[in-house]
Amino acid sequence: MKKATKLTAAALAATLSLSLAACGSSASTGTASTSASADGVVYRTLDEIKADGTINIGVFSDKNPFGYVDENGEYQGYDIYFANRLAEDLGVKVNYVSTEAANRIEYLQTGKVDVILANFTVTPERAEEVDFALPYMNVALGVVSPDSNVITSLDSWNADDQMIVISGTTAETYLTQNYPDIPLQKYDSYATAKSAMENGGVAWANDNTEVIAFASQNHGYTVGIPSLGSQDTIAPAVSKGNETLLNAINDEIKALGKENFFHADYEATLVDTYGTDYEDSLVVEGGETSAQ
């Protein structure tokens, strides 16, 4: 772990209870859905996806190291590594659809994607609108700030300052509910939030994995609050009522757990950012969070 994070392995472990083999192209629309849930949400069943031969997976294109487009225009990252294997085991090709945090639920409900694999934190509110599969990662919220003014607590926040957040994230929800007096500086994408942070931002609240990665990759920043709020999990999501696809993903996660797939995923995509000391704290194998 790079020195810029100013976190010890023990500190992070305590706060976190926490390949590119497919086509790699992005798209704005997917194959037309032919099924619907009781509330009118459209989706494609597992059989329909297999008949088409392509699964549409919503991922981030600007959230390194989880989902991003590299210098060759190819999708890479922790979520992509998993998505490639999922498509391979289902016997279909993968079509990547770039999404932003605020669009993830909409893309599922309108049939634009079959699955969301975009660092999607499980919450009760989201579970009312989509169906989450078993988790594959642990996460909490965190806050990163410049070394010149490291934010270690939100209890004495300067009312003249704004906190950077990304619309549609758990950070936005948590701060709105628990710190309503902190003004929020909202952005739609990770790229614009990072740019705002680099151009004089006071602090940025997001998944702690993301802010730790930012501090590791950018000199002059410290994660002063490594854990904020509850400990949560990251999981794939499908349209509400799409039981055949949900069951297939759950079966896949359980099977992959037997071969320690997500540890291999971590070592291939995340180890350069987080090091090996955090692997067991972040990774969930076979959907079994109790083992963490």
Side-chain angles (χ1 to χ4, degrees), residues 54-207:
T54 300
I55 187 168
N56 299 313
I57 301 182
V59 296
F60 287 128
S61 61
D62 60 357
K63 191 175 183 181
N64 186 350
F66 298 97
Y68 65 99
V69 177
D70 66 14
E71 63 275 9
N72 297 316
E74 303 288 351
Y75 280 89
Q76 301 280 10
Y78 187 78
D79 291 340
I80 310 304
Y81 191 101
F82 175 33
N84 287 332
R85 178 62 182 271
L86 174 63
E88 177 185 346
D89 289 348
L90 291 178
V92 296
K93 295 180 180 180
V94 59
N95 177 53
Y96 287 118
V97 180
S98 178
T99 185
E100 295 175 352
N103 296 335
R104 290 175 293 193
I105 292 175
E106 174 196 344
Y107 276 25
L108 283 173
Q109 292 179 335
T110 59
K112 185 171 288 188
V113 299
D114 303 304
V115 184
I116 285 290
L117 278 177
N119 216 233
F120 209 9
T121 303
V122 178
T123 69
E125 295 78 15
R126 289 170 174 172
E128 293 179 0
E129 299 189 80
V130 301
D131 283 339
F132 283 104
L134 293 170
Y136 60 95
M137 181 169 242
N138 291 310
V139 72
L141 296 178
V143 178
V144 64
S145 48
D147 288 349
S148 58
N149 181 31
V150 178
I151 304 299
T152 59
S153 173
L154 299 183
D155 294 331
S156 56
W157 185 265
N158 185 340
D160 294 330
D161 294 332
Q162 291 185 315
M163 174 72 77
I164 295 171
V165 296
I166 299 170
S167 298
T169 61
T170 51
E172 179 191 17
T173 302
Y174 177 83
L175 291 171
T176 299
Q177 294 176 349
N178 295 279
Y179 292 91
D181 293 333
I182 295 180
L184 302 182
Q185 187 175 347
K186 301 180 183 181
Y187 294 92
D188 290 331
S189 71
Y190 286 88
T192 53
K194 290 176 182 177
S195 178
M197 192 67 218
E198 293 167 345
N199 286 283
V202 174
W204 177 18
N206 201 34
D207 288 355

